[in-house]
Amino acid sequence: MRAQSSALTRGLALAAGLVLALAACSSSGGGGGSNKGGSAGLSSCNTRGKANTCNSAATKSGGTFTYVLEKNIQQWNIQDTNGNTFENGEALEVVLPQVFVPLPDFTVAVNKDLVTSATQTSSSPQTLVYKINPKAAWNDGTAITADDFVYYWRTNDGKDCPPPPASDSTQTKGCLPQSTAGYDRIKSVTGSDGGRTVTVVMAKPFSDWKQLFGAGYPLYPAHIAEKLSGAKAGDAAHMTAAQMAQGWQYFQKNPPTKYPTAGPYKMTQWVDNDHATYEPDPKWWGTAKPSLQRLIFKVISDATQEPIALRNNEVQAIYPQPEVDLVNQVKSIPNVTYNIGNGLQWEHFDLNLHNPVLGKYPALRQAMFTAISIKDIMAKTVKQFDPSVKQLGNHNYVPGQAGYQDLVTATGQGSGDLTKAKKYLTDAKFTGVGTALKTPDGKAVGPFNCRYTTGNQIRQSECQILQSDLGNLGIKVTIKPIGAADLGTVLAGHQYDIIVFAWVASPFPTANAQQNWVTGGGGNFGGYSDKKVDSLIAEAVGTTDQSKAAALLNQADKIMVDAAYVLPLYQKPTFLAVQTRFVNMRNNSTNVGPPYNTAEWGLKK
């Protein structure tokens, strides 16, 4: 899952898990074209069963297509915690290969350009076999082999290339994967058939095995890491931790203009904080051949400028967080079609339990969450352009997924029930309730800060409403924006009391739960810890029975709800607008976003 920061929910996030039982795009019912004959292509994404094929048409050669990235890319290793941004994923999936690709209908598909098959061949021990496409190669001519899988595994298992020590503030002496989920359960990765068959044997079963080596987190060329670190070529299995860390850091610091890639396009230019340029890669072996002459990803961090750029034909597609003014502006642009959909993205308030007062008093947290009115928040933000949005009641699933249960509403959290909220406090012996709140031992509660990414009007409004709601309990809240590219730094550094952002998930909730809620997990920024939750999630991750996994996650979630650590707000609407002369772009509301199929983008024939 990737945490989003600016105009949608793009920011940091971790690999999520669990296959969804949804056969089509879950949509808010928006969409449609504008005036002057706008195509209905994207509106068909709202039709059940059409999510993966909407806006489909044959293309003709030529043309430049410019798509907006909403945040600058500050480091290029998408597998790294600090590089795990939505925009980074969008930019890299154009040029780097992955085994399974999340689709707009929330299912995942085998990337046949990389592997001809990926199957579980045994359950005891769980064994996975990947048959690499005989044509698959990095564009320097080096074959993609089991060695690339071995390198991926060993840098992400949390053991072979351990995280940097706490004393290394720059985090340059190890590997810091955004998720070890699944990789930490692998016993061995071996190659056969000249390295073209990859056999993975699990030491412990892994429920969401299709997440491995892909699902938004692609492979990097192992032979480059081996060469620059002095390791033996083709022998990632015996690389030292220092050698792997050297490769890890290289992929952090260098855009894919600096090393071989394996995608339909190659990146020919990166201008920091401005744009990436891609051109068709003549070495590409895949089925879909890109028809565009040039593909550009343009950085526009101020979402209010995106409709202007679209109207002026400076860009041909935007994917911003929908706000009522922005949506209305796009509706007035000739020959543009748009879609509003609901996907694997959800907005939430998080509390920092490293704060000694917030961490010590569950009753305080329960009171705070109960005093917040999610109904009021939605009415003043997302419901203005998407009336179908409802309060979210789960930390691991969204409506439409198998396993979704509303575990929050019955507790009163998010209800704005001030009487109930105050009772939590008085029962726990707090004083100054409603005026100047103090702990049972007489210490002032707050002031707390509420943090959101600058330029995001919806999140600013959410902090303002929270400020008012908590003021009714006698808690002062100051609002402190975060720079558009700094969400990851603020989260990892615990530089907040309350923060609002959203997760952008892949279709695998058990792996997501392992990282976000387990003690010490890579996405557990607020320091939540509960041994029973840890145990339930570990059991869910280790079962191959999806129904059992969902039941276990919901048991854990009930405990988390009572702990009042994270308050889910709503399933987040997504918004894609595209000029009608271009086709095959779709609103993929998962962690990979619309660029999951850039090889198919092009001018309508």
Side-chain angles (χ1 to χ4, degrees):
M1 179 187 282
R2 299 195 170 97
Q4 286 183 296
S5 64
S6 66
L8 232 167
T9 12
R10 341 260 197 227
L12 204 71
L14 310 189
L18 194 82
V19 177
L20 311 190
L22 188 63
C25 177
S26 170
S27 171
S28 65
S34 66
N35 56 347
K36 296 191 178 179
S39 166
L42 286 180
S43 65
S44 65
C45 294
N46 296 333
T47 305
R48 182 169 293 274
K50 298 291 187 180
N52 296 342
T53 58
C54 67
N55 199 31
S56 294
T59 59
K60 60 183 179 181
S61 296
T64 295
F65 186 91
T66 303
Y67 172 82
V68 172
L69 293 179
E70 293 200 302
K71 182 159 32 36
N72 190 39
I73 297 173
Q74 295 184 315
Q75 69 109 310
W76 290 91
N77 190 340
I78 189 66
Q79 297 173 9
D80 185 270
T81 291
N82 296 314
N84 180 27
T85 67
F86 184 77
E87 289 76 12
N88 199 355
E90 289 187 300
L92 287 171
E93 64 195 63
V94 181
V95 296
L96 295 178
Q98 54 186 317
V99 174
F100 281 95
V101 181
L103 300 179
D105 69 354
F106 305 166
T107 61
V108 293
V110 175
N111 176 9
K112 292 293 185 72
D113 291 328
L114 176 61
V115 296
T116 56
S117 65
T119 56
Q120 178 176 302
T121 60
S122 173
S123 59
S124 184
Q126 186 180 24
T127 303
L128 316 171
V129 176
Y130 305 85
K131 296 284 188 179
I132 298 176
N133 187 327
K135 298 179 181 179
W138 302 101
N139 62 9
D140 64 353
T142 303
I144 296 175
T145 69
D147 197 54
D148 296 298
F149 287 71
V150 171
Y151 177 75
Y152 192 132
W153 160 48
R154 296 190 68 219
T155 51
N156 281 273
D157 67 4
K159 297 173 286 191
D160 289 310
C161 183
S167 59
D168 180 17
S169 60
T170 58
Q171 298 181 343
T172 59
K173 297 179 180 178
C175 302
L176 194 66
Q178 55 81 26
S179 174
T180 61
Y183 304 103
D184 57 356
R185 291 172 171 259
I186 293 176
K187 178 181 180 181
S188 64
V189 179
T190 55
S192 58
D193 300 330
R196 292 296 194 168
T197 296
V198 185
T199 301
V200 177
V201 178
M202 307 298 294
K204 295 184 288 185
F206 181 48
S207 175
D208 289 323
W209 66 269
K210 290 183 179 180
Q211 167 205 294
L212 299 172
F213 310 110
Y217 299 89
L219 277 68
Y220 286 83
H223 68 286
I224 297 301
E226 291 159 355
K227 181 178 179 179
L228 65 88
S229 67
K232 183 180 177 181
D235 194 22
H238 294 98
M239 290 180 75
T240 66
Q243 288 171 329
M244 286 187 285
Q246 194 171 344
W248 189 269
Q249 294 300 319
Y250 179 83
F251 293 128
Q252 277 187 337
K253 296 173 183 176
N254 291 283
T257 56
K258 302 292 187 180
Y259 55 84
T261 55
Y265 291 90
K266 59 181 179 179
M267 186 186 290
T268 57
Q269 183 185 46
W270 166 250
V271 178
D272 188 53
N273 206 33
D274 192 82
H275 73 276
T277 301
Y278 303 86
E279 295 178 1
D281 192 337
K283 301 291 183 66
W284 173 240
W285 69 90
T287 302
K289 306 297 183 183
S291 62
L292 291 168
Q293 180 181 1
R294 187 174 291 107
L295 178 63
I296 296 173
F297 281 12
K298 173 69 176 173
V299 178
I300 301 179
S301 56
D302 183 353
T304 64
Q305 298 303 305
E306 293 184 55
I308 298 171
L310 185 62
R311 180 182 292 277
N312 293 339
N313 197 32
E314 297 165 15
V315 304
Q316 286 72 55
I318 62 175
Y319 194 53
Q321 173 178 308
E323 298 177 11
V324 63
D325 290 342
L326 186 150
V327 172
N328 287 334
Q329 287 182 61
V330 169
K331 285 180 179 180
S332 70
I333 301 175
N335 302 312
V336 167
T337 183
Y338 69 93
N339 170 260
I340 299 176
N342 292 331
L344 303 183
Q345 308 180 0
W346 56 283
E347 191 90 345
H348 50 95
F349 281 122
D350 289 21
L351 302 182
N352 181 10
L353 304 189
H354 298 282
N355 178 299
V357 175
L358 290 173
K360 183 176 181 179
Y361 297 104
L364 171 62
R365 303 195 300 269
Q366 291 168 337
M368 290 168 64
F369 281 1
T370 302
I372 295 168
S373 172
I374 295 177
K375 182 179 180 181
D376 192 26
I377 286 173
M378 293 189 300
K380 294 177 179 177
T381 57
V382 292
K383 274 186 174 289
Q384 293 183 9
F385 57 84
D386 187 357
S388 70
V389 175
K390 297 180 177 61
Q391 179 177 347
L392 182 65
N394 202 288
H395 294 81
N396 297 306
Y397 299 97
V398 296
Q401 287 183 270
Y404 177 77
Q405 294 180 18
D406 183 350
L407 301 173
V408 176
T409 302
T411 69
Q413 293 181 24
S415 66
D417 187 337
L418 194 58
T419 300
K420 185 173 183 176
K422 288 182 175 179
K423 189 174 188 304
Y424 276 121
L425 297 171
T426 54
D427 287 352
K429 310 302 182 186
F430 281 75
T431 58
V433 177
T435 53
L437 191 65
K438 293 184 178 181
T439 64
D441 57 0
K443 296 178 181 178
V445 175
F448 298 137
N449 60 56
C450 182
R451 310 209 66 181
Y452 71 96
T453 43
T454 188
N456 190 309
Q457 184 58 51
I458 283 181
R459 297 218 173 100
Q460 181 178 349
S461 297
E462 288 167 348
C463 276
Q464 290 169 341
I465 294 167
L466 174 140
Q467 181 184 52
S468 175
D469 289 343
L470 297 191
N472 292 328
L473 297 180
I475 302 172
K476 183 178 180 180
V477 174
T478 59
I479 298 174
K480 188 176 180 182
I482 303 167
D486 298 329
L487 176 64
T489 300
V490 169
L491 286 168
H494 319 304
Q495 300 167 17
Y496 64 94
D497 298 315
I498 308 165
I499 193 166
V500 60
F501 66 102
W503 290 119
V504 190
S506 71
F508 301 106
T510 59
N512 171 51
Q514 181 178 352
Q515 290 304 303
N516 287 358
W517 317 127
V518 167
T519 303
N524 188 350
F525 302 108
Y528 176 72
S529 180
D530 185 285
K531 290 182 179 179
K532 181 63 175 176
V533 168
D534 291 351
S535 176
L536 288 166
I537 291 175
E539 189 178 352
V541 170
T543 180
T544 55
D545 182 334
Q546 297 297 322
S547 296
K548 182 179 179 182
L552 290 164
L553 286 186
N554 280 324
Q555 288 181 50
D557 203 20
K558 182 64 172 68
I559 298 171
M560 288 173 50
V561 169
D562 292 340
Y565 162 53
V566 169
L567 178 64
L569 299 179
Y570 50 83
Q571 186 179 8
K572 197 164 186 65
T574 59
F575 182 75
L576 174 65
V578 185
Q579 288 185 358
T580 55
R581 62 195 177 107
F582 290 95
V583 293
N584 300 325
M585 287 199 66
R586 302 179 189 106
N587 188 350
N588 189 333
S589 300
T590 71
N591 62 315
V592 297
Y596 79 103
N597 68 330
T598 50
E600 300 173 12
W601 294 4
L603 284 164
K604 188 175 183 180
K605 191 172 182 177

